Amino acid sequence: MSTQNRIYLSPPHMGGKELEFVQEAFASNFIAPLGPMVTGFENDFAALSGIPHCAALSSGTAALHIAMRQLGISAGDIVLASSLTFIGSVSPITFMGAEPVFIDSDHATWNMDPNLLEDAVKDYCRKGKTPAAVVVTDLYGQCADYDALRSVLDRNGIPLVIDAAESVGATYKDRHAGKGGACAAFSFNGNKIITTSGGGLLAAEDEAFITRSRWLSQQARETAPHYEHREIGYNYRMSNIVAAIGRGQLIALPERVRQKRALFDKYVAALGNLPGIRFMPEAAYGEANRWLTVMLVNEKEFGASPETIRLALDRENIESRPVWKPMHMQPVFKDCDNYGGSVCESLFAEGLCLPSGTAMTDADFDRIIALIKGCAGDRI
């Protein structure tokens, strides 16, 4: 193992204003959950996203859980979901006792295939089990084709929940990621394009939806001088200190998107002409934030597999990671139905997420490129 400092996949990158907001929170003595920084972060994010009502929460998974609760998802319901995603997109479906059914990606965007979604909706409607909702993931910072999905869902009265955990700062047809569904969930985990150290947010056009979401996130406490509860809620609210970090990070977001996209272009310039190497395409309908730079490696053409490259980088203290293992391939979901599967299976087999930190130095980048090329041996 190399003794050089570790290069992480997507480490936090502070913008300089975060500490000012944190100090302001300390000075006001709002250290516990809630406080003016939470309200400020919600307002700042609403202004950024164009989605007028936002509830700052403890994680993106919490946001999706409350979304499922708000939409009335219950035991026995069918919820269609992207297969190529992180489990946090899907586990909230199971929290409600519902059954996830997985939809494959398309080649053009790597996101949910609208044609396969239509097949699934038709099949379940014929069975008399109209899906209760669809959860679509914006993969690696690229928005799914919301309008194409909505054209299938709206005529069947099925709500679209957008998991925009990876796509803060991305756009779809000049709209911010997440705008266009019944609601959208965002994540500010430590590895995202901006971070609050941990945290998430639920956003919607419907003010009542978000007002009740906030209430549910605060243990569903009724208005009374004592603790009165008529429903079960959750301890899902974002803290004032965490929100302060988020407010500083939002200021840096445009620069982070620019840096992520520039790093992606730099990888393409360095590796894109090599045999067997391809990169995640960008959909014509929007601009991805390129949260992670993801390449595909054809082992026969390049001379090394994605896993060989990953291990070579790891030996030099450099973190990379396979593409998400599709949900329909996960043991925990082995009994769930899926539509298609070959596209996301091939992406998993050939995909590798490369170090994508926006503070990466030129020397770090050159090390990574040399190691990747070295895996090909005499082929390049």
Side-chain angles (χ1 to χ4, degrees), residues 80-81 83 101-107 111-124 131 134 148-149 152-153 328 338-344:
L80 309 179
S83 186
V101 172
F102 301 112
I103 310 297
D104 199 1
S105 302
D106 61 35
H107 284 289
N111 280 308
M112 184 183 286
D113 186 328
N115 294 318
L116 288 176
L117 174 68
E118 184 167 26
D119 291 344
V121 169
K122 286 180 177 177
D123 283 352
Y124 278 98
V134 169
L149 301 174
V152 174
L153 302 181
H328 75 270
N338 66 283
Y339 284 74
S342 62
V343 174
C344 57

Side-chain angles (χ1 to χ4, degrees), residues 8-308:
Y8 290 97
L9 186 71
S10 184
H13 187 179
M14 296 295 102
K17 294 288 187 181
E18 295 85 358
L19 188 56
E20 294 179 25
F21 285 105
V22 171
Q23 288 172 332
E24 185 180 335
F26 268 83
S28 68
N29 204 36
F30 277 101
I31 306 301
L34 301 183
M37 287 297 166
V38 176
T39 301
F41 182 62
E42 291 172 345
N43 292 339
D44 293 348
F45 198 86
L48 166 79
S49 66
I51 308 174
H53 306 291
C54 300
L57 303 169
S58 57
S59 68
T61 304
L64 288 168
H65 186 193
I66 288 183
M68 296 294 99
R69 170 80 175 266
Q70 288 280 69
L71 293 171
I73 307 303
S74 60
D77 284 344
I78 296 296
V79 177
L80 309 179
S82 302
S83 186
L84 193 59
T85 189
F86 174 61
I87 195 169
S89 301
V90 178
S91 54
I93 298 168
T94 70
F95 297 168
M96 308 307 297
E99 179 183 343
V101 172
F102 301 112
I103 310 297
D104 199 1
S105 302
D106 61 35
H107 284 289
T109 70
W110 296 14
N111 280 308
M112 184 183 286
D113 186 328
N115 294 318
L116 288 176
L117 174 68
E118 184 167 26
D119 291 344
V121 169
K122 286 180 177 177
D123 283 352
Y124 278 98
C125 286
R126 276 196 295 267
K127 297 173 186 175
K129 293 196 70 173
T130 300
V134 169
V135 180
V136 63
T137 297
D138 291 343
L139 191 72
Y140 295 125
Q142 175 153 271
C143 296
D145 192 348
Y146 305 152
D147 289 353
L149 301 174
R150 286 280 303 273
S151 70
V152 174
L153 302 181
D154 287 355
R155 60 178 178 263
N156 292 282
I158 301 169
L160 177 66
V161 176
I162 299 171
D163 175 9
E166 303 171 13
S167 58
V168 176
T171 58
Y172 173 80
K173 296 184 179 179
D174 297 322
R175 310 194 301 262
H176 187 273
K179 188 172 175 62
C183 59
F186 299 88
S187 173
F188 310 107
N189 192 28
N191 64 357
K192 296 299 189 291
I193 190 166
I194 60 170
T195 183
T196 57
S197 77
L201 183 140
L202 184 63
E205 302 286 339
D206 184 347
E207 182 176 9
F209 187 97
I210 294 301
T211 298
R212 179 171 163 80
S213 294
R214 288 197 191 100
W215 177 75
L216 285 169
S217 76
Q218 295 163 226
Q219 300 287 19
R221 181 184 175 186
E222 302 289 344
T223 302
H226 56 278
Y227 285 87
E228 180 84 9
H229 304 277
R230 299 177 185 176
E231 295 185 52
I232 295 296
Y234 315 101
N235 183 17
Y236 279 173
R237 204 70 161 105
M238 180 180 283
S239 84
N240 203 53
I241 298 298
V242 163
I245 298 171
R247 296 193 73 185
Q249 284 275 281
L250 282 176
I251 294 171
L253 177 62
E255 177 64 5
R256 295 293 173 265
V257 173
R258 186 197 68 77
Q259 291 170 318
K260 289 277 191 179
R261 290 181 60 81
L263 180 59
F264 176 89
D265 291 342
K266 195 174 177 181
Y267 271 119
V268 172
L271 299 172
N273 291 324
L274 299 182
I277 298 293
R278 293 175 291 142
F279 286 84
M280 182 177 181
E282 184 165 53
Y285 52 64
E287 184 176 274
N289 69 15
R290 296 300 188 189
W291 167 52
L292 295 181
T293 290
V294 188
M295 72 175 183
L296 299 180
V297 183
N298 183 301
E299 182 178 1
K300 290 183 179 179
E301 295 177 18
F302 182 69
S305 69
E307 181 64 2
T308 298

Side-chain angles (χ1 to χ4, degrees), residues 332-349:
V332 72
F333 296 125
K334 61 182 174 60
D335 295 326
C336 295
D337 289 339
N338 66 283
Y339 284 74
S342 62
V343 174
C344 57
E345 287 170 16
S346 68
L347 295 174
F348 173 58

